[in-house]
Amino acid sequence: MSSLYTTFKQQLRAMPSTRFVLAFSGGVDSRVLLDLLARYQREHHCECLAVHVHHGLSPNADDWAQRCQYWGEQTGIPVVTEYADIQRESGMSLEQVAREARYALLAKHVQAETCLLLGQHADDQLETFLLAMKRGSGPKGLAAMAKCDRFADGQRLRPLLTHRRSEIEAYATQHHLQWVSDESNQDERFDRNFLRHQITPNLIARWPNIHASIQRSAELCAEQEDVMASLLKDKLKSLLHEDKSLAIQALCDESAAVRHQLFRHWLNRLGVAMPSRRHTQMIWDEVAQADQDANPLLNLGEHHIRRFQGRLYCVPHHDDISQWQHVLHCDCPLHLPNHLGTLSLQTGSGDGLAMTLPKGYEPSRLRVSFDPSGREAKPEGRAGRRKLKKLYQEMGIPSWHRRQYPIILYDEQVVAVAGLFVSQAFSGQEYTLKWQRD
């Protein structure tokens, strides 16, 4: 049992971190980590914190939070409880939603020189590897869980990854530790629980060393993924535009296998979940190679793959704000929907679009809209009026961005489009229109 602390101590000492944050569910794995971390803190006088995420999915959740606070007081490590707002997303399992919510809350506590400690062990690694196989994953998925990687602004470490669940439970028993038991861990409707109770016991009985074999395979897959990323780094850089879009014509010269890898590394760089093999093929067949007059769209969860002027774009999904309108008051910043920032109309000159308004204009008649449908304008310095749709096309604004630009109206006249132009009839130096984007 002493080897558990030996492994733990060696790994923490090898980290460049000066502060350690424990993801503390209260289960046996994190309960043992709390005990190990308390011992390490006494020996090395480092800053430590435990974070308990209250998901609210169990009737016992309040009790678990209280017990975690009590155990933190016992060990001298402060415990912070974070409350997750679990909202089921389309196409996402409850496990996935809860996991993403948990990591988002943990990330708040991981700054530079901070290391997040997770209690995952060799049995978890085996299950993760098998789940990746079930999904038909490539090397990145089969790499399963890394022992150490980047997380938020710091590091993430799984110090028990080479130890079995049985070793951890034996340590807890020997040291008279108490822990909570999540009743959902018995529900075999969840794939991981099905593997844990029905599959892995038979695998371990047949091949007792399977944990070590799986760990080697995961590490080899991680190495292959690193090599692939290194080999494709310069090629991907040559295809990328400064707006993070991808050149389609240059991709035509690549094999399908290389294109698929480039799509994966492109999306990984953008922080988007890895697409399936079917989706990488659809990016090429249904978006990149769509008819020239088409406006293709591929849905990847919270993001869309789009095409514009010979380039592929990965854009976040936005709510339709075509019907949104609001009065724009002078010297009173207006907060825009969809995280589009703030819009302000200020008297005098400044940093933004210079404009004027009719003498004695009525403030209630000046409003902001995002719907260009049927509207026309004559930008300052141009001859003739044109539909906003045509002006956006001429200015190279992708179709999915055209309803994200604030249109300032006086009655039904287009005064300006923030970030683009002021109409000729409202040119002047009396006011400044400033759009501060998030």
Side-chain angles (χ1 to χ4, degrees), residues 132-147:
M133 287 181 61
K134 188 267 293 183
R135 291 192 299 268
S137 299
K140 186 173 182 62
L142 294 174
M145 296 181 291
K147 186 179 293 185

Side-chain angles (χ1 to χ4, degrees), residues 54-61 64 84 86 94-95 97-98 182-184:
H54 185 302
H55 293 97
L57 297 175
S58 168
N60 300 308
W64 296 344
I86 304 297
L94 183 60
E95 295 168 284
V97 173
D182 188 342
E183 67 278 0
S184 69

Side-chain angles (χ1 to χ4, degrees), residues 276-317:
S276 66
R277 186 175 184 181
R278 182 174 67 90
H279 278 132
T280 56
Q281 188 63 49
M282 291 170 69
I283 291 173
W284 184 249
D285 292 343
E286 299 184 15
V287 182
Q289 299 297 293
D291 293 340
Q292 288 302 309
D293 59 350
N295 186 21
L297 178 152
L298 176 63
N299 190 347
L300 287 182
E302 296 180 359
H303 292 78
H304 294 153
I305 305 298
R306 308 294 299 259
R307 184 189 67 187
F308 183 70
Q309 295 185 342
R311 307 193 74 85
L312 289 172
Y313 290 81
C314 179
V315 297
H317 169 75

Side-chain angles (χ1 to χ4, degrees), residues 23 25 53-57 84-89 91-108 116 118 120 124 127-128 131-132 134-135 144-145 151 156 158 182 190-193 196 273-274 302:
S25 69
V53 177
H54 185 302
H55 293 97
L57 297 175
D85 181 16
I86 304 297
Q87 296 184 0
R88 192 74 168 264
E89 299 287 340
M92 293 176 66
S93 68
L94 183 60
E95 295 168 284
Q96 185 179 358
V97 173
R99 181 171 60 251
E100 291 190 2
R102 179 167 64 253
Y103 277 131
L105 291 170
L106 291 170
K108 293 167 49 179
L116 175 67
L118 300 177
Q120 287 135 340
D124 292 322
E127 293 160 7
T128 301
L131 287 171
K134 188 267 293 183
R135 291 192 299 268
M145 296 181 291
F151 180 77
R156 175 169 55 187
R158 297 176 173 92
D182 188 342
F190 296 113
D191 289 344
R192 186 175 289 275
N193 291 342
R196 183 174 303 165
M274 283 296 94
E302 296 180 359

Side-chain angles (χ1 to χ4, degrees), residues 4 28-29 119-131 144-145 158 160-170 191-197 199-205 207-212 214-215:
L4 215 60
V28 65
D29 311 324
Q120 287 135 340
H121 46 69
D123 294 83
D124 292 322
Q125 184 77 310
L126 172 57
E127 293 160 7
T128 301
F129 189 90
L130 292 175
L131 287 171
M145 296 181 291
R158 297 176 173 92
L160 304 181
L161 199 58
T162 58
H163 289 271
R164 298 275 303 277
R165 180 184 289 112
S166 57
E167 296 177 74
I168 296 167
E169 291 175 348
D191 289 344
R192 186 175 289 275
N193 291 342
F194 172 74
L195 287 174
R196 183 174 303 165
H197 298 295
I199 304 300
T200 56
N202 291 323
L203 293 176
I204 296 166
W207 300 297
N209 294 322
I210 192 171
H211 295 87
I214 290 294
Q215 183 61 31

Side-chain angles (χ1 to χ4, degrees), residues 208-226:
N209 294 322
I210 192 171
H211 295 87
S213 299
I214 290 294
Q215 183 61 31
R216 284 196 302 274
S217 292
E219 290 172 357
L220 286 170
C221 287
E223 286 180 11
Q224 290 177 23
E225 188 66 18
D226 287 344

Side-chain angles (χ1 to χ4, degrees), residues 383-402:
R385 299 171 64 81
R386 303 208 69 182
K387 295 283 189 184
L388 288 187
K389 178 181 177 180
K390 293 293 185 182
L391 290 171
Y392 288 163
Q393 288 175 346
E394 291 175 12
M395 295 176 179
I397 308 299
S399 60
W400 58 91
H401 280 165
R402 292 172 192 169

